[in-house]
């Protein structure tokens, strides 16, 4: 890590927001600030953090999580910008915030908020790389220590507990707070909820500290997020400086005009396997003229004749893998062949709006975490099943799905229903299935994965590494300088950036030695369950159009009720 004079860092970019609620009050010339206020520091830090996380989602994690398919054909696994921005603009400023105000009791709560956010960022970094600078991160030494992964998780659990307990609800407030609106009680809840997330993530490699935290938090559930009104978000605003990075990159300045990330075929198949009402809530149907045409066999409520019909479908997911491996022995017609990129479903327009509210954590996630903790034997006020269903309902409500019959029907389907299983549909190449097993803890984790869309893609990647709950398909066009095979699974970590090697060679060398001596993306971190690697060249597959069919039901009357034009190609008796 490069030697840096951190006292100068806080003067970079403070007051960048200008046209949103309260931000105009902070929009002052940073070069005239002798001692920036906590609000100026923290709101710059909030935006710098979420800007970087949004950029990482688009470049890396939407693909890792299999929520969205992006145009890049490879799994990229390194970012110089992420390292520098998080350590300099974010952690450097948080450090200065504490230097400037920690000794003044009039700023106690605001200092604790800085410490909470610091833990949030370090949890992100340790989940990316493994060993990272923490205890000496703000040192100006020529050689900076990388703390081990286990040391980092242990320290984060300690710091979050201390910061949460030190917040006094009626004490000083962070005014013009773009995350939690100056609500100290909500910052305390966020600290505890983040501690629960981290504890369940590192329970494999830090069992003693993690279990202690989980037991404490499950015994004090009112100290966690308790409803959707507690959801933690950061809202963007209009204007070039204030707008969401999703909007800037994908709408205002797209690399290819009109080419947005698309619904992934894997998530699409999960939605279709269980007739999930979130398909229409999460994603926008293409314009009718761009919708793909399918040939389907439908029955009729009027007679016993089956009809082979063609019609346009409302949704389709794009596969990141564009072609199957020859070893799979697939013959016939690829169901995705000839589909224009405009025929795949886009994220809902509000997700790509300039004033989008980026989700940091929500109540649904906490419900699923509590269901997981309960299944592991750490009991709370309700049963695992109750937490699980509350999580589904909270997620649906957050996405404005208020149709109680639709939600109830979804929860009653085999596989979704507690204690049941369903193998689900095969993916489009017939190599993996999108099912829900009888193991209830895995159901909760799969629902958590669905809930992480779209902003929690990093946490979805962490969840998969920590639990291996999903049967993810491989990527067959994955070659890069580290992943040179023609078929690969999702990365296990990121490599350190070149600057880490150049400016702190001893720290870097020791860190790499501690993870086995190679700085590669297939090094399994301590918190992760070692995946059972599949020899993807030793399986067979088949083209499978099932997920795209019968989206209006199994009868011709479903098309008629939806007002969908169709053409009958043939009829035959059952």
């Amino acid at each position: 890590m490069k030697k840096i004079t951190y006292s100068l860092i806080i003067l970079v970019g403070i007051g960048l927001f200008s046209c949103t609620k309260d931000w105009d009050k902070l929009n002052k010339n940073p070069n005239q600030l002798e001692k920036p206020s906590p609000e100026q520091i923290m709101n710059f830090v909030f935006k710098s953090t979420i800007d970087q996380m949004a950029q990482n989602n688009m470049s890396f994690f939407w693909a890792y999580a299999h929520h969205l398919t992006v145009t890049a054909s490879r799994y990229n696994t390194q970012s110089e910008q992420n390292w520098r921005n998080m350590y300099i603009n974010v952690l450097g400023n948080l450090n200065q915030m504490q230097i400037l105000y920690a000794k003044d009791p009039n700023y106690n709560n605001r200092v604790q908020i800085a410490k909470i956010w610091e833990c949030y960022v370090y949890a992100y970094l340790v989940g990316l790389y493994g060993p990272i600078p923490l205890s000496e991160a703000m040192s100006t030494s020529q050689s900076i220590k990388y703390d081990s992964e286990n040391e980092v998780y242990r320290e984060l659990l300690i710091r979050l507990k201390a910061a949460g307990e030190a917040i006094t609800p009626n004490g000083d407030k962070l005014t013009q707070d773009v995350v939690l609106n100056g609500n100290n009680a909500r910052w305390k809840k966020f600290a505890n909820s983040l501690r629960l997330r981290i504890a369940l993530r590192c329970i494999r490699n830090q069992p003693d500290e993690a279990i202690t935290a989980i037991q404490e938090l499950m015994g004090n559930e009112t100290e966690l997020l308790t409803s959707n009104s507690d959801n933690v978000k950061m809202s963007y605003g209009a204007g070039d400086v204030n707008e969401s990075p999703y909007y800037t990159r994908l709408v205002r300045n797209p690399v290819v005009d009109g080419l947005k990330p698309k619904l992934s075929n894997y998530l699409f198949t999960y939605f279709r396997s269980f007739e999930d009402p979130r398909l229409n809530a999460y994603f926008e149907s293409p314009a009718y003229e761009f919708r793909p045409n399918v040939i389907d066999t439908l029955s009729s409520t009027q007679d016993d004749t089956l009809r082979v019909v063609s019609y346009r479908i409302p949704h389709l997911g794009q596969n990141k893998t564009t072609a199957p491996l020859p070893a799979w022995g697939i013959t016939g017609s690829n169901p995705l062949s000839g589909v224009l990129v405009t025929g795949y479903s886009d994220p809902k327009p509000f997700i790509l709006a300039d004033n989008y509210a980026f989700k940091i954590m929500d109540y649904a996630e906490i419900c699923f975490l509590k269901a997981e903790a309960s299944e592991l034997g750490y009991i709370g006020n309700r049963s695992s099943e109750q937490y699980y269903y509350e999580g589904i309902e909270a997620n649906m409500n957050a996405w404005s799905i208020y149709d109680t019959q639709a939600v109830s029907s979804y929860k009653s389907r085999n596989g979704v229903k507690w204690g049941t299983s369903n193998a689900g549909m095969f993916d489009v190449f017939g190599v993996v299935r999108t099912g829900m097993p009888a193991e209830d803890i895995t159901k909760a984790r799969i629902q958590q994965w669905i809930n992480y869309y779209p902003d929690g893609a990093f946490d979805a990647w962490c969840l998969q590494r920590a639990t291996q709950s999903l049967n993810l398909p491989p990527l067959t066009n994955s070659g890069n300088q580290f992943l040179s095979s023609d078929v690969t699974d999702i990365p296990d970590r990121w490599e350190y950036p070149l600057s880490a090697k150049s400016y702190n060679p001893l720290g870097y060398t020791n860190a790499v030695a501690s993870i086995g001596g190679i700085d590669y993306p297939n090094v399994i971190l301590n918190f992760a369950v070692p995946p059972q690697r599949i020899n993807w060249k030793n399986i067979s597959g088949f083209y499978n159009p099932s997920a795209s069919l019968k989206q209006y039901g199994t009868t011709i009357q479903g098309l008629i009720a939806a007002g969908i034009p169709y053409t009958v190609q043939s009829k035959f008796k059952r």
Side-chain angles (χ1 to χ4, degrees):
M1 187 184 300
K2 189 175 182 179
K3 281 182 65 176
I4 300 164
T5 304
Y6 281 99
S7 61
L8 300 179
I9 294 169
I10 55 175
L11 300 182
V12 180
I14 290 176
L16 288 180
F17 280 150
S18 60
C19 300
T20 56
K21 178 183 177 182
D22 293 326
W23 283 102
D24 57 324
K25 300 175 184 177
L26 304 177
N27 194 24
K28 299 179 180 179
N29 184 347
N31 296 315
Q32 296 176 358
L33 297 173
E34 294 181 1
K35 185 179 180 180
S37 71
E39 285 72 20
Q40 290 164 324
I41 297 173
M42 289 307 301
N43 285 312
F44 171 65
V45 163
F46 293 151
K47 184 176 185 295
S48 296
T49 305
I50 302 306
D51 280 357
Q52 187 62 58
M53 290 180 174
Q55 293 290 351
N56 289 347
N57 282 346
M58 291 183 282
S59 297
F60 305 95
F61 301 131
W62 281 345
Y64 293 11
H66 286 260
H67 287 152
L68 290 162
T69 296
V70 294
T71 54
S73 61
R74 298 174 175 176
Y75 285 140
N76 295 315
T77 54
Q78 191 180 72
S79 171
E80 183 73 41
Q81 179 190 29
N82 178 79
W83 183 270
R84 293 183 62 81
N85 189 37
M86 290 303 198
Y87 270 107
I88 297 174
N89 290 336
V90 175
L91 294 171
N93 280 300
L94 289 169
N95 181 59
Q96 280 299 309
M97 165 79 173
Q98 294 170 65
I99 290 173
L100 291 172
Y101 295 103
K103 294 181 181 179
D104 189 336
N106 293 317
Y107 295 94
N108 172 69
N109 285 341
R110 282 167 283 186
V111 169
Q112 302 312 319
I113 289 169
K115 291 179 179 180
I116 292 166
W117 198 262
E118 188 176 60
C119 290
Y120 175 56
V121 174
Y122 276 123
Y124 190 84
L125 293 170
V126 73
L128 284 172
Y129 303 104
I132 56 169
L134 186 150
S135 59
E136 299 180 6
M138 299 300 112
S139 170
T140 57
S141 169
Q142 293 290 347
S143 179
I144 297 173
K145 171 190 173 183
Y146 282 59
D147 297 82
S148 73
E149 184 184 345
N150 289 1
E151 289 170 337
V152 173
Y153 281 120
R154 181 167 57 249
E155 184 66 18
L156 295 183
L157 292 175
I158 292 170
R159 291 187 184 187
L160 280 170
K161 177 177 171 64
E165 290 177 346
I167 288 181
T168 56
N170 296 322
D172 63 290
K173 296 181 179 182
L174 183 68
T175 59
Q176 298 106 37
D177 176 359
V178 295
V179 176
L180 291 176
N181 198 31
N183 189 316
N184 291 330
R186 291 182 66 193
W187 275 107
K188 183 185 285 282
K189 285 186 174 185
F190 176 52
N192 288 322
S193 300
L194 182 58
R195 187 153 61 108
L196 181 62
R197 176 198 279 177
I198 292 171
L200 281 163
R201 183 171 298 168
C202 71
I203 193 170
R204 183 176 180 274
N205 58 306
Q206 286 295 108
D208 293 342
E209 293 83 356
I211 291 170
T212 297
I214 294 166
Q215 288 176 326
E216 176 195 329
L217 293 166
M218 290 297 286
N220 295 276
E221 293 180 52
T222 58
E223 297 297 309
L224 302 168
L225 307 189
T226 55
S227 71
N228 279 333
S229 63
D230 285 333
N231 291 351
V232 184
K233 297 182 178 182
M234 194 196 84
S235 295
Y236 285 93
D240 292 357
V241 178
N242 304 331
E243 66 197 19
S244 164
Y246 296 161
Y247 174 82
T248 303
R249 181 166 163 183
L250 300 173
V251 178
R252 186 162 64 85
N253 299 315
V255 176
V256 178
D257 187 39
L259 194 59
K260 300 182 179 70
K262 303 295 181 178
L263 164 63
S264 84
N265 192 265
Y266 186 73
L267 179 57
F268 170 66
T269 307
Y270 249 107
F271 282 150
R272 292 289 299 125
S273 291
F274 300 96
E275 299 179 58
D276 195 322
R278 287 171 289 195
L279 175 57
N280 287 315
Y282 282 19
F283 293 96
E284 188 80 357
S285 296
Y288 183 79
E289 62 270 23
F290 295 126
R291 295 181 186 180
N293 195 71
V294 298
I295 297 175
D296 202 354
T297 302
L298 301 176
S299 62
S300 172
T301 59
Q302 305 299 317
D303 55 45
D304 61 355
T305 301
L306 296 175
R307 292 159 173 80
V308 177
V309 299
S310 62
Y311 59 94
R312 294 184 182 275
I313 56 175
H315 290 289
L316 186 62
Q318 186 178 28
N319 221 38
K320 188 169 179 65
T321 290
T322 56
L325 289 178
W328 294 346
I330 301 178
T331 60
S333 177
N334 185 339
L336 302 180
S337 178
V339 177
L340 300 176
V341 69
T342 50
Y344 296 108
S345 300
D346 288 327
K348 281 291 185 181
F350 79 88
I351 295 173
L352 305 183
D354 56 357
N355 63 345
Y356 178 65
F358 186 101
K359 182 177 72 174
I360 296 164
M361 177 177 280
D362 66 5
Y363 174 56
E365 178 188 357
I366 299 309
C367 290
F368 295 130
L369 290 175
K370 289 192 291 186
E372 182 179 0
S374 180
E375 282 296 281
L376 292 172
Y378 311 113
I379 307 302
N381 295 330
R382 296 180 176 87
S383 68
S384 308
E385 182 178 359
Q386 287 174 311
Y387 291 134
Y388 170 76
Y389 286 133
E390 286 174 9
I392 293 174
E393 291 164 4
N395 170 269
M396 299 259 187
N397 288 339
W399 286 86
S400 301
I401 302 174
Y402 301 117
D403 185 336
T404 56
Q405 183 176 353
V407 175
S408 179
S409 295
Y410 175 74
K411 293 190 299 181
S412 68
R413 294 192 179 103
N414 282 341
V416 178
K417 184 179 179 180
W418 199 255
T420 67
S421 64
N422 188 320
M425 295 178 179
F426 275 102
D427 75 321
V428 70
F429 292 143
V431 293
V432 297
R433 299 192 78 141
T434 53
M436 297 262 195
E439 185 183 36
D440 289 320
I441 193 170
T442 303
K443 289 187 207 308
R445 289 164 173 166
I446 292 173
Q447 291 292 340
Q448 190 172 330
W449 166 70
I450 295 171
N451 179 67
Y452 277 137
Y453 173 84
D455 304 316
F458 166 78
D459 293 300
W461 177 45
C462 289
L463 176 68
Q464 175 63 8
R465 289 181 291 160
T467 67
Q468 297 297 317
S469 294
L470 296 167
N471 186 18
L472 295 175
L475 178 59
T476 63
N477 47 338
S478 56
N480 63 26
Q481 68 270 37
F482 295 104
L483 302 171
S484 58
S485 172
D486 57 356
V487 59
T488 190
D489 297 301
I490 60 172
D492 295 297
R493 62 178 289 273
W494 275 12
E495 311 92 57
Y496 296 111
L498 294 177
S499 62
K501 308 173 189 179
S502 301
Y503 294 119
N504 185 21
L506 180 59
Y508 166 78
T509 300
N510 290 338
V512 172
S514 73
I515 59 172
I518 54 172
D519 184 14
Y520 271 27
N522 56 1
V523 173
I524 299 168
L525 299 183
N526 292 343
F527 82 90
V529 171
Q532 295 183 348
R533 304 291 189 191
I534 297 173
N535 183 354
W536 293 109
K537 296 182 180 181
N538 195 33
I539 63 171
S540 59
F542 62 96
Y543 286 129
N544 178 40
S546 300
S548 61
L549 304 179
K550 296 178 175 53
Q551 293 190 48
Y552 295 103
T554 60
T555 69
I556 200 76
Q557 282 72 32
L559 294 176
I560 295 170
I564 301 300
Y566 62 92
T567 300
V568 177
Q569 298 190 349
S570 63
K571 299 180 182 181
F572 58 94
K573 294 290 186 180
R574 294 176 185 269

